[in-house]
Amino acid sequence: MAMKLLLVALLALAFAHAAVLASDPSPLQDFCVADDSSKVFVNGAVCKNMNDVTADDFYTSGLDKPGNTVNNVRSNVTAVNVNKIPGLNTLGISLARIDFAPNGLNPPHTHPRATEILVVLEGELYVGFVTSNIGQTNRLFTKNLKKGDVFVFPQGLIHFQLNTGKYNAVALAGLSSQNPGVITIAKAVFGSTPPISDDVLAKAFQVDKRLVDRLQAQQWTDNNN
C-alpha cells in the first residue's frame, strides 16, 4: 500500500511539473534579460549577466505611431515582445498595437502560447473567436466593440478583428506570453513552404483543386510582395 501511495504521489508530481512547463518559464530571480549574443539555445533565452543589464533592456518606444495599413488586409500589427524588449524574458507577458484602415481586417489567426485581451482605443471593431471541435460543432463567439470596450480571446483559439467603422481604428492587445507566436490560418494553409498538396487541401475544404491552386498562387504572391 505504501508503495502504491508513493507511486501515485510521484505521478501527481510529474503531472504538476508538466503543467508548469506547459506555459512560459517562471522567473527564479528578479528578472532574466534575454542575452541576444548567446549561442546557447534554450526554451526562452539565456539570461544576460545582471551586471550588464541597463534600463534600456526594459524599454522600447514608437507605439504612439500608427502602423502602415497599406496592404491587402488593410491592417498592421506592431508587436512588443521579447524580441523588442529583452527584459520581458521569463515574465510571461507582451503587447501589440493593431491599426486598422476602414474595412481593415486582422485575419483569422491563433496564438499557440498566449491568451489575448484586447481594448479598443479608437473606432469600432467586429471581433470573434471559434472554439475547438466540441462534438461536431465549432462555436463562434462575436461582439461589436466600440472605444473603451474589452474582449478576451482564449489561448490557441482562432480569432479575428474587423474594422466596421468609417474611420481608422486602433486597439491594444495584451498577451500572456513573452513570445506568443502567431499562425495566420490562410497563410499557413495556402502559403506554406513547401506547399501542402492540393489533393489534401481540396479534400479537406471540399473544393475543386483548381480553386486550391489559385488560392496557393495568390498567397505566394502576397507572401513575396
Side-chain angles (χ1 to χ4, degrees):
M1 178 61 71
M3 184 61 69
K4 287 184 178 179
L5 290 175
L6 177 60
L7 180 59
V8 169
L10 289 173
L11 285 172
L13 181 60
F15 280 121
H17 182 62
V20 169
L21 293 179
S23 61
D24 281 4
S26 298
L28 299 176
Q29 51 205 31
D30 288 348
F31 48 79
C32 172
V33 172
D35 184 357
D36 295 332
S37 66
S38 174
K39 302 300 182 184
V40 178
F41 186 80
V42 297
N43 182 27
V46 173
C47 301
K48 181 186 287 189
N49 188 310
M50 282 203 175
N51 293 329
D52 298 328
V53 173
T54 70
D56 285 340
D57 290 315
F58 303 92
Y59 168 84
T60 192
S61 63
L63 214 59
D64 59 317
K65 298 178 176 62
N68 183 5
T69 58
V70 182
N71 52 55
N72 288 341
V73 293
R74 298 174 61 82
S75 73
N76 185 283
V77 178
T78 305
V80 182
N81 52 33
V82 70
N83 298 316
K84 277 278 189 73
I85 303 180
L88 286 175
N89 189 40
T90 76
L91 298 185
I93 193 170
S94 60
L95 182 70
R97 170 179 172 145
I98 314 169
D99 289 278
F100 303 84
N103 203 38
L105 171 70
N106 191 11
H109 63 281
T110 72
H111 301 294
R113 295 180 289 277
T115 291
E116 175 181 341
I117 183 167
L118 177 138
V119 56
V120 179
L121 300 183
E122 295 291 343
E124 302 175 7
L125 295 177
Y126 170 69
V127 305
F129 67 85
V130 181
T131 65
S132 56
N133 301 353
I134 302 174
Q136 298 299 314
T137 303
N138 297 91
R139 290 190 63 191
L140 172 65
F141 293 84
T142 65
K143 196 77 176 173
N144 290 297
L145 305 182
K146 295 183 179 181
K147 182 177 179 178
D149 290 347
V150 178
F151 198 79
V152 173
F153 306 99
Q155 180 173 339
L157 299 187
I158 295 173
H159 60 283
F160 59 87
Q161 300 104 24
L162 172 68
N163 182 2
T164 54
K166 297 180 180 179
Y167 307 102
N168 292 343
V170 183
L172 278 182
L175 299 117
S176 61
S177 172
Q178 67 190 45
N179 186 23
V182 61
I183 303 170
T184 305
I185 306 306
K187 183 176 181 180
V189 173
F190 295 105
S192 65
T193 304
I196 299 173
S197 164
D198 55 5
D199 289 321
V200 171
L201 295 179
K203 191 170 186 64
F205 289 96
Q206 295 294 291
V207 296
D208 190 276
K209 285 200 294 184
R210 288 172 295 183
L211 175 58
V212 171
D213 291 338
R214 289 200 297 271
L215 291 170
Q216 288 179 320
Q218 180 60 54
Q219 191 61 60
W220 186 90
T221 300
D222 292 346
N223 290 348
N224 288 276
N225 283 341

